[in-house]
Amino acid sequence: MQFRTHLMISAATALVVYPRKPQQATALLLSGVLLDLDHLLLYALQSGDWSVAGALRYDRYRHLRIGAGDTRPRYRSLRSWLHQPWLLLPIVWAGAAHRPGLRPLAMGLSLHLALDYTYWPGDMLARLRAHGRCAQCGHKRSLEIQRIRRAGRLARIALCRTCSQRMQPLTE
């Protein structure tokens, strides 16, 4: 999900849920948006580039087809454990049950992860279609789902880590 989508939906939710409580609304908004700072941290650790501009440049080209002479690096997944709802949400909601002040934080994180995981059913279908084999090389390995554009539509393919790092989509 894109930053602006997280920002707009978190802001709208904060205004609806906490119309007269600016501190809670701000906490919900910030937790709904700033969870993505882990992507920046993982990018910086993998690339050595700590600039936000470099991370944004990388995000623009990382899903593009690799053309002739393109030597730009492609890194592994930029998702940390913070983007695993079955790990993060029980901890956050358990804390919110004991401390009501944490509820806006828990709501913002839950909203963020719900928006991020709208792709999950499509990814599961891609895994089922692959029958445990890489769509490019055919090897039976651990698979990663890559989103590519095919005929103007978003498509999902299951690739092994090696093919995923090369990021050669099947067809355009």
Side-chain angles (χ1 to χ4, degrees):
M1 191 65 53
Q2 293 184 341
F3 173 78
R4 69 173 165 246
T5 307
H6 284 300
L7 180 64
M8 289 186 305
I9 292 176
S10 294
T13 304
L15 289 174
V16 168
V17 176
Y18 297 111
R20 290 191 173 99
K21 297 181 179 177
Q23 288 178 327
Q24 287 88 346
T26 303
L28 192 152
L29 173 66
L30 291 177
S31 63
V33 173
L34 295 180
L35 180 61
D36 279 339
L37 286 178
D38 72 327
H39 301 314
L40 177 62
L41 178 65
L42 289 173
Y43 166 77
L45 291 173
Q46 290 181 28
S47 69
D49 177 14
W50 288 86
S51 71
V52 175
L56 292 173
R57 246 188 332 273
Y58 172 74
D59 190 53
R60 276 196 297 272
Y61 79 77
R62 73 186 178 118
H63 291 297
L64 298 176
R65 184 183 192 117
I66 297 176
D70 186 1
T71 59
R72 297 178 292 192
R74 304 293 203 271
Y75 303 107
R76 295 185 310 274
S77 173
L78 296 178
R79 287 187 173 271
S80 72
W81 69 271
L82 293 173
H83 275 81
Q84 304 301 324
W86 49 88
L87 293 175
L88 181 65
L89 293 181
I91 296 168
V92 172
W93 280 105
H98 296 295
R99 305 199 94 192
L102 293 177
R103 286 189 186 137
L105 174 75
M107 287 172 47
L109 293 174
S110 298
L111 179 63
H112 183 104
L113 293 173
L115 291 171
D116 277 356
Y117 278 90
T118 56
Y119 66 84
W120 187 79
D123 284 3
M124 288 309 294
L125 287 173
R127 285 183 193 282
L128 290 172
R129 277 194 310 268
H131 298 290
R133 296 192 176 275
C134 176
Q136 222 164 12
C137 67
H139 286 105
K140 198 168 184 119
R141 298 181 184 157
S142 155
L143 299 176
E144 297 178 1
I145 304 300
Q146 295 294 331
R147 290 160 200 81
I148 60 169
R149 292 237 174 251
R150 265 196 204 155
R153 296 185 63 187
L154 186 66
R156 293 174 172 95
I157 57 172
L159 300 173
C160 66
R161 179 169 285 195
T162 306
C163 292
S164 178
Q165 286 175 346
R166 276 190 251 133
M167 197 64 176
Q168 286 287 122
L170 296 176
T171 60
E172 187 62 37

